[in-house]
Amino acid sequence: MEGLCMLLKRLAYPCRFSDMIETRFGRSVSELCMITNRVMDFIYDTHGHRITQWNPAVLNPGFLEQYVAAIEGKGAALDNCFGFVDGTVRPISKPGEQQRIVYNGHKRVHALKFQSVAVPNGLIANMYGPVEGKRHDSGMLADSGLLRDLEAYAFSPAGLPMCIYGDPAYPLRVHLQGPFRNPHLTPLMEAFNASMSSVTISVEWLFGDIINYFKFLDFKKNLKIGMSSIGKMYIVCALLHNARTCLYGNKTSSFFELEPPTLEEYFA
């Protein structure tokens, strides 16, 4: 418990280990460093599969049907969409030899990228990464194996295919839909795009929540490749965000009026 408190203090706001000695924990810098790293490794090794792999606890056919109903209830045009996929760019300190590999020309920052699937109860159901910042979202999708998992598991209790919704960067598939991209859109196409855009914003809320509650991730000068486990840290923070959502809910779950599972159910 003490180790978990140390990790949460470390991630909640950018701080030095030396700042944590007198204010809270009364241990040496080396002890604080080793303990927080050990706890982070434990969380990742023990529970990382809940977010880095297809998790039946939150993505079984019964829950997928609930997600579809919640999204459709908010005016979405698709009647079989259970979640949203998007990539996020996390800026890091400018590295040495790897700077060209991790440079993201669109955001104009050196960064690592992650792919996330958000569901309407406020959880990040699936995450892939980190990958180098220059990778395109479609490349991340191919490497993640998400389409393979969707083709295997994304079906309703009646056996009908369900899909996730992404931006125009993603290809169109039975289990992956996106907006109309025609040069000239009909009124019906525009209405479809608008209805889906109004609910897709929820995935951006979740990305924002992770940074708001774990501001250490936003201090890019201390996020150095080779000096700290940057990718593992982001995934652990996403898991901790899910745990917090199970306890208190968030903006996404309130918007879709869908309660997340209890902490015991999620980590069962």
Side-chain angles (χ1 to χ4, degrees), residues 29-40:
V29 169
S30 58
E31 281 183 302
L32 290 169
C33 180
M34 287 188 291
I35 292 171
T36 53
N37 285 337
R38 181 65 180 272
V39 174
M40 184 165 65

Side-chain angles (χ1 to χ4, degrees), residues 13 36 42 46-47 66 75-77 85 103 112 135 174 190 210 249 268:
Y13 201 80
T36 53
F42 173 80
T46 307
H47 301 290
Q66 293 180 23
V85 62
Y103 185 74
L112 297 178
R135 290 298 301 277
V174 172
E190 291 178 350
I210 294 177

Side-chain angles (χ1 to χ4, degrees), residues 26 64 67 97 125 139 141-142 165 208 222 239 244 246 252-253 259-260:
L64 296 186
Y67 303 155
E97 298 177 358
L141 177 71
Y165 186 85
N222 205 39
L239 272 167
R244 188 190 183 281
C246 291
T252 301
S253 61
E259 290 294 319

Side-chain angles (χ1 to χ4, degrees), residues 176-191:
L176 176 59
Q177 295 295 305
F180 285 100
R181 311 164 198 185
N182 303 33
H184 302 288
L185 300 178
T186 67
L188 284 178
M189 291 177 179
E190 291 178 350

Side-chain angles (χ1 to χ4, degrees), residues 145-180:
L146 178 60
L147 278 177
R148 182 181 63 248
D149 289 337
L150 290 169
E151 292 168 357
Y153 305 115
F155 293 91
S156 70
L160 300 176
M162 293 184 169
C163 70
I164 54 177
Y165 186 85
D167 60 33
Y170 294 102
L172 294 178
R173 299 290 186 272
V174 172
H175 296 278
L176 176 59
Q177 295 295 305
F180 285 100

